[in-house]
Amino acid sequence: MDHMSEKIIKVLKDMDIEDATPESSLMGDLELESLQIYELLAEMEALCSVRIPERVLLKVDTVQDLADEITKLVEKKHD
Amino acid sequence: MDDTKQKTVKNVIGMWSALKGLLVIAVILGHSVYEAEQICNIPVYPIPFRVLTKAGGIILFTFFVISGYLFNPKKKGIGKQYGKYVLIYVVAALFMTVAAVINDWITGRTNPNAGSLFLGCLYGASERMSLFGWEIQPPYALWFFAVFMNSWLILEMLTKIKKEAVRRGIIFGCPVLFFLFCIGVGRPGGLILERLPFYIVPTIIAVMLLYIGYYIKKENILFQKIKWYWWCIIIFTALGSYFFGKIDMMRNGYQLNILDCVGGICGVFVVLYWYIRLINPDNRLLDPLMWIGRRTLLIIPIHCVEWALFMWADWRKLRPLGMYGSAFLIFFLRMGIIVLSCIVIEYLQMKYKRWKQEVKKNGSYVRENH
């Protein structure tokens, strides 16, 4: 499990969402509501000090997908 | 998961956020048109505005159905989430009251607004009325937020009922009872029971709409092939409601009784079904719409506060601009205020989150080293 996925899973645990794995689908397996997903994005923005554009939501299904997108944004910011 | 369902899950939240953003813009424009009508005193709207205001009911219905589509029953934390909604409502009510006080003071209003607005928030008023000698007025668009949070809570509770038949009986039975009641008392078009506190009837309708959205998602109906005769019925009912009916969700107005409600739902289905097929997710125009859609529950309270602060309908100096000029000027001013307010609030929220995370990190560092 990569570092970013771990961060996301920890944030989900703080949101009382247990049993998340990198392969868990946000809306499918974890059954997150839209507000919870927005809350997750906001927490990750604060944690990683990066702005996550809403367009990312079109590309992510699983925790790993979100981790990959956030990692790309963080690397882009540091370049 | 097959390809169709993959598309459902992977793309859906972003696409629905964009549609919600478009609906929010339409609502704010519709409200600006209403203010412009007050300013210009024009009895008949220009055709584009008439088309928009006619669609008001279906816009609200669509909003609830999308929210239902994005709904998932929580295993725990319902009270905590509802508490957050109540907090937003209370904070919005307080800010709105302060804004109204400022407006009353600046305009030197002899009949102050602030008190009646605050009481309207506490009571959940759908119209101007007198209650035990106190004047109260509807709290602008905050009624929608109240209906959303209460219908969400009721649906969460109803999903705990194990028997599907009982659950559906309650969800669909209550609105049907309301429509039968309207017929029974000789007011088939509704516009009754609007003096009940806290938008009881709109909440009942909203619970049904949320559930319909949830059901559409669960059964994957948007990605199934619909037979031509069903399309004929759906489109015919939707158009019939649009042209001959009128939905006023806040005041329980359904000109064609249950046909308006069914027609509205049919209209929503048409919108959702074709939206998800025709809109290209790669279109960059979706980005600002998704930005707005994500912040809907923040925008509604801000919209109410700016409404109370500026009381646009009093801006008679805009009259020379005419209906279009006044409406669009008010609309763009409003959107500017709303977007700026969202940016400031989110900046403060981000600062607060980072501070909390630092405190948590320092707390664990201290614990580890002792």
Side-chain angles (χ1 to χ4, degrees), chain A residues 14 27 31-39 43 46-47 49 52 54-55 57-61, chain B residues 9-11 17 70-72 74 84-85 152 281 283-284 287 294-295 350 353-354 357 360:
Chain A
D14 292 340
M27 286 195 77
E31 295 188 319
L32 297 185
E33 285 190 306
S34 56
L35 287 172
Q36 290 173 299
I37 293 180
Y38 297 145
E39 200 182 321
E43 290 291 335
L47 206 53
S49 302
I52 303 174
E54 283 72 26
R55 182 155 280 281
L57 292 173
L58 292 174
K59 301 178 201 170
V60 304
D61 176 23
Chain B
V9 176
K10 202 157 192 153
N11 293 333
S17 280
L70 298 171
F71 170 84
N72 273 314
K74 281 166 115 60
K84 283 185 192 170
Y85 289 146
W152 174 87
N283 190 330
R284 287 281 154 181
D287 289 20
R294 176 180 169 179
R295 291 154 179 82
M350 170 88 82
K353 276 189 210 299
R354 283 199 193 146
Q357 283 164 359
K360 209 170 165 182

Side-chain angles (χ1 to χ4, degrees), chain B residues 66-90:
Chain B
I66 293 175
S67 298
Y69 195 105
L70 298 171
F71 170 84
N72 273 314
K74 281 166 115 60
K75 293 182 181 70
K76 48 181 172 171
I78 297 172
K80 194 172 156 190
Q81 183 63 46
Y82 187 69
K84 283 185 192 170
Y85 289 146
V86 170
L87 183 63
I88 295 173
Y89 185 86
V90 166

Side-chain angles (χ1 to χ4, degrees), chain B residues 22-33:
Chain B
L22 190 61
L23 296 175
V24 164
I25 288 173
V27 164
I28 294 173
L29 181 57
H31 290 161
S32 304
V33 165

Side-chain angles (χ1 to χ4, degrees), chain B residues 52-69:
Chain B
L52 175 65
T53 49
K54 261 294 223 176
I58 194 177
I59 287 172
L60 295 180
F61 271 34
T62 307
F63 199 96
F64 283 110
V65 173
I66 293 175
S67 298
Y69 195 105

Side-chain angles (χ1 to χ4, degrees), chain B residues 276-292:
Chain B
I276 208 80
R277 275 163 181 74
L278 297 177
I279 299 297
N280 178 5
D282 296 326
N283 190 330
R284 287 281 154 181
L285 280 174
L286 291 183
D287 289 20
L289 295 178
M290 283 192 281
W291 191 94
I292 294 171

